[in-house]
Short mmCIF file of all heavy atoms in Angstrom, two decimals:
data_model
loop_
_atom_site.label_atom_id
_atom_site.label_comp_id
_atom_site.label_asym_id
_atom_site.label_seq_id
_atom_site.Cartn_x
_atom_site.Cartn_y
_atom_site.Cartn_z
N GLU A 12 -11.00 71.90 -44.02
CA GLU A 12 -10.65 71.52 -45.39
C GLU A 12 -9.58 70.28 -45.32
O GLU A 12 -8.56 70.42 -44.64
CB GLU A 12 -10.12 72.58 -46.10
CG GLU A 12 -9.87 72.31 -47.58
CD GLU A 12 -9.49 73.50 -48.44
OE1 GLU A 12 -8.91 74.49 -47.82
OE2 GLU A 12 -9.55 73.44 -49.53
N LEU A 13 -9.82 69.33 -46.03
CA LEU A 13 -9.00 68.14 -46.15
C LEU A 13 -8.22 68.33 -47.47
O LEU A 13 -8.91 68.40 -48.58
CB LEU A 13 -9.78 66.76 -46.16
CG LEU A 13 -10.66 66.60 -44.99
CD1 LEU A 13 -11.41 65.35 -45.09
CD2 LEU A 13 -9.92 66.60 -43.66
N LEU A 14 -6.91 68.34 -47.43
CA LEU A 14 -6.21 68.76 -48.68
C LEU A 14 -5.44 67.56 -49.33
O LEU A 14 -5.29 67.46 -50.47
CB LEU A 14 -5.05 69.74 -48.30
CG LEU A 14 -5.60 71.00 -47.74
CD1 LEU A 14 -4.29 71.93 -47.29
CD2 LEU A 14 -6.34 71.85 -48.81
N GLU A 15 -5.09 66.50 -48.50
CA GLU A 15 -4.33 65.33 -49.04
C GLU A 15 -5.43 64.33 -49.56
O GLU A 15 -6.45 64.01 -48.74
CB GLU A 15 -3.50 64.81 -48.04
CG GLU A 15 -2.41 65.67 -47.52
CD GLU A 15 -1.68 65.08 -46.39
OE1 GLU A 15 -1.75 63.88 -46.05
OE2 GLU A 15 -0.78 65.87 -45.87
N GLY A 16 -5.09 63.68 -50.61
CA GLY A 16 -6.01 62.53 -51.12
C GLY A 16 -6.08 61.36 -50.18
O GLY A 16 -7.12 60.84 -49.99
N ARG A 17 -4.93 61.06 -49.51
CA ARG A 17 -5.03 59.94 -48.60
C ARG A 17 -5.83 60.31 -47.34
O ARG A 17 -6.56 59.40 -46.93
CB ARG A 17 -3.55 59.61 -48.12
CG ARG A 17 -2.70 58.96 -48.97
CD ARG A 17 -1.40 58.64 -48.70
NE ARG A 17 -1.00 59.03 -47.29
CZ ARG A 17 0.11 59.19 -46.81
NH1 ARG A 17 1.29 59.09 -47.56
NH2 ARG A 17 0.35 59.62 -45.64
N LEU A 18 -5.81 61.50 -46.89
CA LEU A 18 -6.68 61.85 -45.75
C LEU A 18 -8.08 61.87 -46.10
O LEU A 18 -8.96 61.41 -45.34
CB LEU A 18 -6.26 63.35 -45.30
CG LEU A 18 -6.99 63.85 -44.11
CD1 LEU A 18 -6.88 63.06 -42.91
CD2 LEU A 18 -6.52 65.24 -43.87
N ILE A 19 -8.49 62.29 -47.22
CA ILE A 19 -9.89 62.24 -47.79
C ILE A 19 -10.39 60.81 -47.73
O ILE A 19 -11.42 60.51 -47.31
CB ILE A 19 -10.02 62.92 -49.14
CG1 ILE A 19 -9.66 64.46 -49.11
CG2 ILE A 19 -11.33 62.67 -49.76
CD1 ILE A 19 -9.57 65.21 -50.34
N LEU A 20 -9.51 59.94 -48.43
CA LEU A 20 -9.92 58.58 -48.40
C LEU A 20 -9.94 58.06 -47.06
O LEU A 20 -11.07 57.14 -46.67
CB LEU A 20 -8.88 57.65 -49.23
CG LEU A 20 -8.88 57.94 -50.61
CD1 LEU A 20 -7.69 57.21 -51.33
CD2 LEU A 20 -10.19 57.53 -51.27
N GLU A 21 -9.17 58.37 -46.12
CA GLU A 21 -9.24 57.85 -44.69
C GLU A 21 -10.56 58.21 -43.94
O GLU A 21 -11.29 57.43 -43.39
CB GLU A 21 -8.06 58.26 -43.98
CG GLU A 21 -8.12 57.78 -42.51
CD GLU A 21 -6.89 58.21 -41.70
OE1 GLU A 21 -5.81 58.68 -42.30
OE2 GLU A 21 -6.69 57.87 -40.52
N ILE A 22 -10.89 59.60 -44.26
CA ILE A 22 -12.18 60.03 -43.61
C ILE A 22 -13.38 59.36 -44.16
O ILE A 22 -14.44 58.95 -43.44
CB ILE A 22 -12.22 61.53 -43.77
CG1 ILE A 22 -11.19 62.42 -43.07
CG2 ILE A 22 -13.54 62.15 -43.28
CD1 ILE A 22 -11.03 62.21 -41.65
N LYS A 23 -13.33 59.11 -45.50
CA LYS A 23 -14.45 58.50 -46.14
C LYS A 23 -14.61 57.05 -45.68
O LYS A 23 -15.66 56.64 -45.51
CB LYS A 23 -14.28 58.44 -47.81
CG LYS A 23 -14.55 59.76 -48.37
CD LYS A 23 -14.37 59.70 -49.84
CE LYS A 23 -14.68 61.03 -50.55
NZ LYS A 23 -14.53 60.89 -52.07
N ARG A 24 -13.57 56.40 -45.47
CA ARG A 24 -13.55 55.04 -45.03
C ARG A 24 -14.06 54.96 -43.59
O ARG A 24 -14.90 54.05 -43.36
CB ARG A 24 -12.18 54.36 -44.96
CG ARG A 24 -11.74 53.94 -46.46
CD ARG A 24 -10.44 53.19 -46.45
NE ARG A 24 -9.88 53.03 -47.76
CZ ARG A 24 -8.75 53.52 -48.19
NH1 ARG A 24 -7.87 53.98 -47.33
NH2 ARG A 24 -8.29 53.41 -49.35
N LEU A 25 -13.70 55.75 -42.82
CA LEU A 25 -14.09 55.90 -41.38
C LEU A 25 -15.55 56.18 -41.31
O LEU A 25 -16.25 55.59 -40.45
CB LEU A 25 -13.26 56.87 -40.47
CG LEU A 25 -11.88 56.59 -40.28
CD1 LEU A 25 -11.16 57.80 -39.60
CD2 LEU A 25 -11.80 55.36 -39.27
N ALA A 26 -15.97 57.10 -42.18
CA ALA A 26 -17.39 57.38 -42.22
C ALA A 26 -18.30 56.18 -42.73
O ALA A 26 -19.37 55.92 -42.19
CB ALA A 26 -17.71 58.59 -43.05
N ALA A 27 -17.72 55.51 -43.74
CA ALA A 27 -18.48 54.38 -44.12
C ALA A 27 -18.49 53.24 -43.20
O ALA A 27 -19.46 52.48 -43.24
CB ALA A 27 -17.74 53.80 -45.41
N ARG A 28 -17.53 53.14 -42.31
CA ARG A 28 -17.62 52.24 -41.22
C ARG A 28 -18.33 52.65 -39.89
O ARG A 28 -18.21 51.87 -39.02
CB ARG A 28 -16.13 51.72 -40.85
CG ARG A 28 -15.39 51.07 -41.93
CD ARG A 28 -13.97 50.60 -41.56
NE ARG A 28 -13.22 50.06 -42.69
CZ ARG A 28 -11.89 50.21 -42.83
NH1 ARG A 28 -11.24 50.93 -41.95
NH2 ARG A 28 -11.45 49.65 -43.91
N ARG A 29 -18.81 53.77 -40.17
CA ARG A 29 -19.62 54.37 -38.91
C ARG A 29 -18.74 54.63 -37.74
O ARG A 29 -19.07 54.58 -36.54
CB ARG A 29 -20.81 53.45 -38.55
CG ARG A 29 -21.70 53.32 -39.66
CD ARG A 29 -23.03 52.60 -39.26
NE ARG A 29 -23.84 52.55 -40.35
CZ ARG A 29 -24.93 51.62 -40.51
NH1 ARG A 29 -25.02 50.77 -39.55
NH2 ARG A 29 -25.71 51.76 -41.54
N LYS A 30 -17.41 54.89 -37.98
CA LYS A 30 -16.55 55.40 -36.92
C LYS A 30 -16.49 56.95 -36.95
O LYS A 30 -15.48 57.52 -37.28
CB LYS A 30 -15.23 54.87 -37.14
CG LYS A 30 -15.40 53.24 -36.85
CD LYS A 30 -14.07 52.62 -36.97
CE LYS A 30 -14.19 51.16 -36.84
NZ LYS A 30 -12.82 50.45 -36.71
N TYR A 31 -17.65 57.51 -36.66
CA TYR A 31 -17.69 59.00 -36.76
C TYR A 31 -16.83 59.80 -35.91
O TYR A 31 -16.23 60.86 -36.30
CB TYR A 31 -19.23 59.42 -36.61
CG TYR A 31 -20.13 58.73 -37.58
CD1 TYR A 31 -21.22 57.95 -36.92
CD2 TYR A 31 -20.02 58.62 -38.85
CE1 TYR A 31 -22.12 57.32 -37.76
CE2 TYR A 31 -20.88 57.99 -39.60
CZ TYR A 31 -21.92 57.28 -39.12
OH TYR A 31 -22.81 56.45 -39.89
N SER A 32 -16.74 59.42 -34.64
CA SER A 32 -15.98 60.17 -33.69
C SER A 32 -14.56 60.09 -34.09
O SER A 32 -13.81 61.16 -33.93
CB SER A 32 -16.11 59.47 -32.28
OG SER A 32 -17.32 59.72 -31.75
N LYS A 33 -13.99 58.97 -34.58
CA LYS A 33 -12.61 58.93 -35.01
C LYS A 33 -12.42 59.62 -36.31
O LYS A 33 -11.33 60.33 -36.47
CB LYS A 33 -12.28 57.32 -35.41
CG LYS A 33 -10.85 57.19 -35.56
CD LYS A 33 -10.43 55.76 -35.63
CE LYS A 33 -8.96 55.70 -35.91
NZ LYS A 33 -8.41 54.31 -35.72
N ALA A 34 -13.46 59.75 -37.17
CA ALA A 34 -13.34 60.58 -38.33
C ALA A 34 -13.29 62.05 -38.04
O ALA A 34 -12.49 62.76 -38.62
CB ALA A 34 -14.46 60.26 -39.33
N MET A 35 -13.98 62.43 -37.04
CA MET A 35 -13.95 63.78 -36.62
C MET A 35 -12.65 64.07 -35.93
O MET A 35 -12.08 65.19 -36.33
CB MET A 35 -15.08 64.00 -35.51
CG MET A 35 -16.53 64.07 -36.00
SD MET A 35 -17.76 64.04 -34.72
CE MET A 35 -17.33 65.41 -33.85
N ALA A 36 -12.05 63.28 -35.18
CA ALA A 36 -10.89 63.54 -34.45
C ALA A 36 -9.66 63.62 -35.52
O ALA A 36 -8.79 64.42 -35.50
CB ALA A 36 -10.49 62.48 -33.48
N THR A 37 -9.74 62.78 -36.54
CA THR A 37 -8.77 62.73 -37.60
C THR A 37 -8.85 63.96 -38.43
O THR A 37 -7.84 64.60 -38.69
CB THR A 37 -8.96 61.45 -38.42
OG1 THR A 37 -8.86 60.30 -37.62
CG2 THR A 37 -7.85 61.41 -39.51
N ALA A 38 -9.96 64.40 -38.77
CA ALA A 38 -10.25 65.50 -39.63
C ALA A 38 -9.76 66.95 -38.82
O ALA A 38 -9.07 67.74 -39.40
CB ALA A 38 -11.66 65.81 -39.99
N LEU A 39 -10.06 66.86 -37.54
CA LEU A 39 -9.62 68.13 -36.83
C LEU A 39 -8.12 68.20 -36.63
O LEU A 39 -7.69 69.27 -36.52
CB LEU A 39 -10.40 68.14 -35.48
CG LEU A 39 -11.88 68.55 -35.51
CD1 LEU A 39 -12.56 68.25 -34.14
CD2 LEU A 39 -12.01 70.06 -35.97
N SER A 40 -7.51 67.00 -36.36
CA SER A 40 -6.17 66.98 -36.10
C SER A 40 -5.30 67.10 -37.41
O SER A 40 -4.22 67.56 -37.37
CB SER A 40 -5.81 65.73 -35.26
OG SER A 40 -5.84 64.65 -36.11
N ARG A 41 -5.61 66.55 -38.43
CA ARG A 41 -4.85 66.42 -39.67
C ARG A 41 -5.33 67.29 -40.71
O ARG A 41 -4.55 67.50 -41.77
CB ARG A 41 -4.82 65.11 -40.17
CG ARG A 41 -3.94 64.19 -39.11
CD ARG A 41 -3.89 62.76 -39.51
NE ARG A 41 -3.47 62.48 -40.80
CZ ARG A 41 -3.71 61.39 -41.46
NH1 ARG A 41 -4.22 60.40 -40.90
NH2 ARG A 41 -3.25 61.19 -42.71
N GLY A 42 -6.56 67.88 -40.73
CA GLY A 42 -7.14 68.77 -41.67
C GLY A 42 -6.66 70.17 -41.35
O GLY A 42 -6.03 70.44 -40.36
N ARG A 43 -7.00 71.23 -42.33
CA ARG A 43 -6.65 72.48 -42.11
C ARG A 43 -8.00 73.22 -41.64
O ARG A 43 -9.02 73.25 -42.35
CB ARG A 43 -6.34 73.19 -43.46
CG ARG A 43 -5.98 74.59 -43.41
CD ARG A 43 -5.41 75.23 -44.66
NE ARG A 43 -6.41 75.17 -45.74
CZ ARG A 43 -6.56 76.38 -46.40
NH1 ARG A 43 -5.98 77.38 -46.16
NH2 ARG A 43 -7.59 76.30 -47.29
N PHE A 44 -7.81 73.74 -40.41
CA PHE A 44 -9.00 74.45 -39.78
C PHE A 44 -9.30 75.69 -40.61
O PHE A 44 -8.37 76.60 -40.71
CB PHE A 44 -8.66 74.72 -38.32
CG PHE A 44 -9.82 75.56 -37.61
CD1 PHE A 44 -10.96 74.89 -37.24
CD2 PHE A 44 -9.55 76.76 -37.45
CE1 PHE A 44 -11.88 75.63 -36.57
CE2 PHE A 44 -10.59 77.61 -36.81
CZ PHE A 44 -11.63 76.93 -36.27
N LEU A 45 -10.43 75.98 -41.00
CA LEU A 45 -10.78 77.17 -41.81
C LEU A 45 -11.38 78.17 -40.77
O LEU A 45 -11.09 79.30 -40.73
CB LEU A 45 -11.67 76.93 -42.97
CG LEU A 45 -11.01 76.03 -43.99
CD1 LEU A 45 -12.03 75.69 -45.15
CD2 LEU A 45 -9.72 76.81 -44.53
#
């Protein structure tokens, strides 16, 4: 779960730029593991 608005925007931008591995790493490190 991504809780912060800035984190959500960052993940969306990374996905839009096709940087999926970086988006995954960012979500796992800065998001809340459920």
Side-chain angles (χ1 to χ4, degrees):
E12 186 173 22
L13 308 177
L14 299 173
E15 299 174 8
R17 289 184 353 206
L18 180 57
I19 293 170
L20 288 175
E21 183 177 352
I22 298 298
K23 286 181 177 181
R24 285 187 193 124
L25 289 169
R28 292 180 186 149
R29 297 183 178 163
K30 296 184 178 187
Y31 307 123
S32 293
K33 188 168 183 176
M35 290 170 55
T37 303
L39 285 170
S40 64
R41 295 177 46 202
R43 183 172 68 128
F44 176 78
L45 296 176

